[in-house]
Amino acid sequence: MIAPRNTSPVKGSTVLWIAAGFLLLVFGGLLIAELTPLLFPPQASAQAQQVDDLFKFLLAVGAAIFLLVQGVLVVAVVRFRARRGDRSDGAPMHGNTTLEVVWTLIPAVIVLVITIYSFQVWVNTTAARADEQTVRATGARFVWSFAYNDPVNNITINSKELHTYVGQPVRMEMSTDDSQHAFWIPAMRIKQDLLPGRTTEVRFTPTRAGSYPIVCAELCGSGHGQMRATIVVHPDEATYLSWFDDAVNTALNPPADPVERGRALLAAGVYPCSGCHVLDDLGWQGITGPSLNGVGDRAGRRVPGETAEEYLDRSIYFPGEYLVPGFGNLMPQFQPNDPNAPNYMPPDDHFAIVAYLCTLTASGESACDLDNLERIVSEYR
Ligand code: CUA
């Protein structure tokens, strides 16, 4: 006697439907994973390739699950909808162990694979490289500045742009003067927060020459949207060195004229002024502070009895006492006499910067008495 079979045979057409559905999911997932990266910025670093591959994998898995869930929903709505006049309840159903094991195991395996894969990418992209170049980045509301060590002359080179070259591993050493910021270079596929009181780091190796945007990705105040800078990736070491040597030369031979020197200091981004002020002469477009265009003309008229140089001197060291109507108390106080203060501005720099601001007049003539300015500043020395 043959024992009666207790399973009903699965219909061939059902198997076909499931197979077709599965193929559709795989194909749809791969299609979305291949098409979406067309919207990405160029891959300009060694890290970018790995990050994008991981992202594609996540996209494929996510898209397949999305299509599965939406597909089942559509099939259920169409096939199992209540027919006209059918007011009965659906059949009562209770757990299906096989189904539950399957829908627990598959996601568990997917999550495990993602964990191992992404950990491997993280280890690879953050690993220290031999001969890496360290560049210090400072975030301040609302501007980036970069500093290079010149071991030969034992000086620091400041720049508003980040410079490096193809194939040179870079290690960013980052700190913030005020709130939290996030250093993001979309083309390099790297992003790292800057945290008050801590130094954070991030690494990348450029693989493509060109200029790419650096963006602040952490809401840090009203000028956050303008906190951008540029990374210049030179095609080779020689081109990079010619930029670097120029910068060293400028730093070693500051202009003798204090006005020129003050302008150079501001242009190099040694102080974070460009993040907040408009200044056509240097191409600044900050919005959170008063415009500096023509400030020399206004300086002598703002406070009765105060000369232009006194006004400019004090509004840099004591900005809270010199608020321009319509603007908040956002400017850091640049410390004149404490070299360890986070916003220390040495008296020589201060003198040069004020001397330059004095020349921002309609006529181009200085609005200040520089001898008097020297007397004021000498009190800080
Ligand atoms: Cu700095 Cu947003």
Side-chain angles (χ1 to χ4, degrees):
M1 281 228 358
I2 299 168
R5 296 176 66 173
N6 59 2
T7 50
S8 54
V10 177
K11 272 195 260 163
S13 65
T14 311
V15 174
L16 272 183
W17 274 114
I18 291 177
F22 182 75
L23 279 179
L24 215 62
L25 293 183
V26 171
F27 183 72
L30 289 178
L31 193 69
I32 290 176
E34 280 305 316
L35 291 184
T36 311
L38 296 179
L39 304 170
F40 291 178
Q43 289 182 337
S45 75
Q47 283 74 4
Q49 176 83 50
Q50 295 188 50
V51 171
D52 283 3
D53 286 349
L54 171 63
F55 202 83
K56 273 190 194 177
F57 177 72
L58 295 176
L59 263 174
V61 172
I65 292 173
F66 172 78
L67 293 174
L68 172 68
V69 172
Q70 299 306 311
V72 170
L73 191 67
V74 169
V75 168
V77 164
V78 173
R79 223 178 132 196
F80 303 112
R81 70 187 186 280
R83 307 288 150 171
R84 192 182 293 276
D86 179 1
R87 312 289 284 171
S88 62
D89 279 342
M93 283 178 90
H94 264 281
N96 181 326
T97 310
T98 316
L99 191 60
E100 284 178 23
V101 167
V102 168
W103 79 31
T104 305
L105 268 185
I106 293 179
V109 169
I110 292 176
V111 168
L112 192 70
V113 171
I114 291 175
T115 306
I116 295 170
Y117 183 10
S118 50
F119 183 70
Q120 194 191 350
V121 170
W122 186 76
V123 167
N124 278 344
T125 51
T126 55
R129 317 269 154 182
D131 348 310
E132 59 190 10
Q133 168 193 34
T134 294
V135 183
R136 276 170 290 136
T138 305
R141 294 191 291 178
F142 302 99
V143 68
W144 295 106
S145 62
F146 305 99
Y148 296 74
N149 283 338
D150 173 17
V152 179
N153 301 292
N154 198 20
I155 53 169
T156 299
I157 306 301
N158 292 288
S159 171
K160 283 183 71 180
E161 287 176 334
L162 175 56
H163 286 256
T164 184
Y165 58 94
V166 171
Q168 166 66 55
V170 181
R171 172 177 164 269
M172 302 301 302
E173 198 178 277
M174 306 186 291
S175 59
T176 163
D177 282 350
D178 38 50
S179 61
Q180 211 166 315
H181 303 275
F183 180 82
W184 180 31
I185 312 183
M188 305 293 166
R189 308 291 193 274
I190 53 158
K191 181 155 72 173
Q192 171 63 50
D193 279 11
L194 281 70
L195 305 170
R198 269 174 65 176
T199 301
T200 52
E201 57 175 30
V202 68
R203 293 184 159 88
F204 64 98
T205 307
T207 51
R208 217 177 112 131
S211 296
Y212 309 97
I214 298 172
V215 183
C216 178
E218 186 80 51
L219 183 60
C220 52
S222 49
H224 158 72
Q226 297 213 313
M227 191 166 165
R228 287 168 155 261
T230 302
I231 173 172
V232 178
V233 179
H234 295 271
D236 49 47
E237 188 176 10
T239 334
Y240 165 77
L241 282 179
S242 88
W243 167 80
F244 189 74
D245 291 344
D246 269 359
V248 170
N249 254 327
T250 312
L252 286 179
N253 308 299
D257 178 10
V259 172
E260 297 267 307
R261 201 164 71 241
R263 187 178 185 279
L265 281 170
L266 293 183
V270 179
Y271 301 98
C273 318
S274 67
C276 296
H277 296 282
V278 167
L279 179 51
D280 293 348
D281 184 33
L282 296 174
W284 295 357
Q285 297 179 326
I287 49 162
T288 46
S291 165
L292 295 179
N293 290 334
V295 73
D297 284 328
R298 293 190 298 276
R301 291 188 253 123
R302 282 263 201 246
V303 181
E306 241 179 38
T307 62
E309 63 273 14
E310 284 167 343
Y311 175 86
L312 289 170
D313 162 74
R314 289 187 58 82
S315 40
I316 291 175
Y317 280 161
F318 306 99
E321 296 170 23
Y322 284 78
L323 297 184
V324 172
F327 295 93
N329 190 0
L330 286 172
M331 181 161 151
Q333 184 182 10
F334 290 93
Q335 298 286 341
N337 37 29
D338 176 7
N340 296 315
N343 286 304
Y344 175 58
M345 183 185 277
D348 285 346
D349 285 9
H350 178 75
F351 178 85
I353 288 170
V354 173
Y356 165 67
L357 293 177
C358 290
T359 64
L360 298 174
T361 56
S363 64
E365 294 291 310
S366 175
C368 304
D369 174 353
L370 290 192
D371 292 335
N372 188 34
L373 178 61
E374 178 51 48
R375 270 194 296 280
I376 299 169
V377 173
S378 63
E379 287 172 26
Y380 304 126
R381 290 203 167 95

